[in-house]
Every structure is written in structure tokens, then in C-alpha cells.
Amino acid sequence: MRTLTGLAFVAAVGLSLPVAARTAEPSPAPEHGFVLTGAGRFAILADQMTIVRDGDTVTMRAFQVTEPGFTAGGHTYWGGWSKWRFDCVGMTADRLDFASVREGGVEGPTTPDTAPAYHADPGGDAAELLAVACSTDARSPDVFTLEEAVTLGRAALAGELDQPR
């Protein structure tokens, strides 16, 4: 008579393994790390996962969320992405481009923004984004997916949230 041991026995009799004994695949790293920076005409969320430092300058993407039902050209939009470059010493901001995001997440096309860099005045969207981009302390993300960013942004636009941190 052949005896079964360990996993072979479990498999033979159809028992399930405890969770700790199962081989689990690690959770994928989050693609985004959104921090709500403000809400006015649009809600603005900085994506900390896109921060790239180069000396005193930093690039980062930010997502601006529209109110529900925002349409243009017969399409409904969640908002759009902008890539920014900040000079952390000179306190300047330069929006490099914009790519709209349709409801459902379809992105593009990307349109370059050729306006020159400008001083990031306190209280404005650029200053709030600069504060996140240039900080040496990462803030805990508020949300991790684009869909969650839209939900959070729309709640901020509707006045359902306290002011951003």
C-alpha cells in the first residue's frame, strides 16, 4: 500500500490548504498614488508615482477631474492629464502638455503646452502641485486608480469633502 504525505495527501482527499500554505502571487504595485491638491473649477490630483527629480527640478503628472456629465465634441470626459515641470528653488511651474481622458479611461491625444514657465502663486493649482512635487516627504496617497481619482475629485467638486491636506 502506498502512503501519501504532505501535499499529495491533501490533493488526493480533496482538502483545501489553509491560506498561509497556498502559494500566492504578490499584489501588483499600484500604478498611481494620487493626492488631492485642490478643487475649484476642476479637482486636481497629483500622481506621486510619476515624480522624477533632476537637481532642483521635478517633473510630475497631474490629473484634473471634471464634474459629472462634462461633454465636449459629443463625448463625455472624466478630465485630463497634464505633465508638469517645477523649479523647486525658483518656485516656477511649466505645464508641458495636456491629454483628455474620456469617460471609461480612453486617453488622448496629447497636446503640447508651449506657454512659458511662470511663478507658482500661492493658492493656485500650480503652487499646490509644486508643494507635492518638491516635497521631500511623500504624502500618503488618497487613492490608487484613475477611477478612484475621478470619484474622489467629483466628491471634492460637490463639496462633500473637507479641504485637501
Side-chain angles (χ1 to χ4, degrees):
M1 176 176 174
R2 194 169 110 189
T3 45
L4 301 174
T5 59
L7 293 176
F9 174 77
V10 170
V13 296
L15 298 175
S16 64
L17 293 172
V19 171
R22 296 182 194 149
T23 303
E25 292 187 29
S27 299
E31 185 177 343
H32 302 287
F34 289 108
V35 173
L36 179 66
T37 62
R41 181 174 174 210
F42 302 102
I44 308 296
L45 294 100
D47 186 356
Q48 293 182 115
M49 299 293 284
T50 64
I51 292 174
V52 177
R53 298 182 191 289
D54 183 16
D56 293 333
T57 63
V58 177
T59 58
M60 177 182 71
R61 284 182 91 191
F63 189 67
Q64 80 181 34
V65 178
T66 63
E67 291 183 350
F70 180 90
T71 61
H75 300 284
T76 306
Y77 288 88
W78 279 349
W81 283 105
S82 290
K83 184 174 183 179
W84 292 81
R85 181 176 29 245
F86 301 100
D87 179 331
C88 299
V89 174
M91 303 298 287
T92 62
D94 187 3
R95 186 167 115 165
L96 304 174
D97 65 24
F98 179 80
S100 61
V101 177
R102 287 187 191 177
E103 189 172 292
V106 176
E107 183 179 329
T110 300
T111 304
D113 185 331
T114 59
Y118 58 94
H119 187 265
D121 292 327
D125 292 339
E128 293 167 347
L129 289 170
L130 183 143
V132 172
C134 294
S135 175
T136 56
D137 298 321
R139 291 171 30 185
S140 296
D142 295 316
V143 293
F144 297 94
T145 69
L146 193 58
E147 293 83 0
E148 291 171 333
V150 171
T151 300
L152 177 64
R154 288 183 172 170
L157 289 171
E160 298 170 1
L161 305 175
D162 292 332
Q163 292 296 319
R165 298 180 274 159

